[in-house]
Amino acid sequence: MTSKIAVSLPDELVGDARRAVSEGRAASVSAYVADAMRNAGRRETLADVLDAWEAELGSPSDEARAWAEEQLRRIDE
């Protein structure tokens, strides 16, 4: 089941979504937004997992944290 809603978005984000559709990276603007929302939810879940690991195992070293941050930057590129 799907629900139709109305949201207001900055023009830049609407442009990004429309570009993704025109370039074939998304089936529709709705699909693009749904995927973005799914990904945001996964990041929140991952944050919970990482918090639990840190509570159990302690904080990562500065070197490990720098490596992880670099890998996450690569995902956003």
Side-chain angles (χ1 to χ4, degrees), residues 39-62:
N39 288 336
R42 287 185 190 125
R43 277 193 291 279
E44 291 171 14
T45 301
L46 178 57
D48 293 340
V49 170
L50 294 174
D51 286 345
W53 281 356
E54 189 168 353
E56 181 179 337
L57 304 171
S59 297
S61 67
D62 289 341

Side-chain angles (χ1 to χ4, degrees), residues 18-75:
R18 289 181 175 155
R19 244 183 323 282
V21 172
S22 70
E23 294 171 358
R25 294 183 288 116
S28 65
V29 170
S30 292
Y32 183 88
V33 171
D35 188 50
M37 291 178 71
R38 253 184 236 102
N39 288 336
R42 287 185 190 125
R43 277 193 291 279
E44 291 171 14
T45 301
L46 178 57
D48 293 340
V49 170
L50 294 174
D51 286 345
W53 281 356
E54 189 168 353
E56 181 179 337
L57 304 171
S59 297
S61 67
D62 289 341
E63 182 179 292
R65 188 177 299 275
W67 177 87
E69 288 173 355
E70 175 60 28
Q71 301 315 304
L72 292 172
R73 274 192 293 278
R74 291 176 62 196
I75 291 170

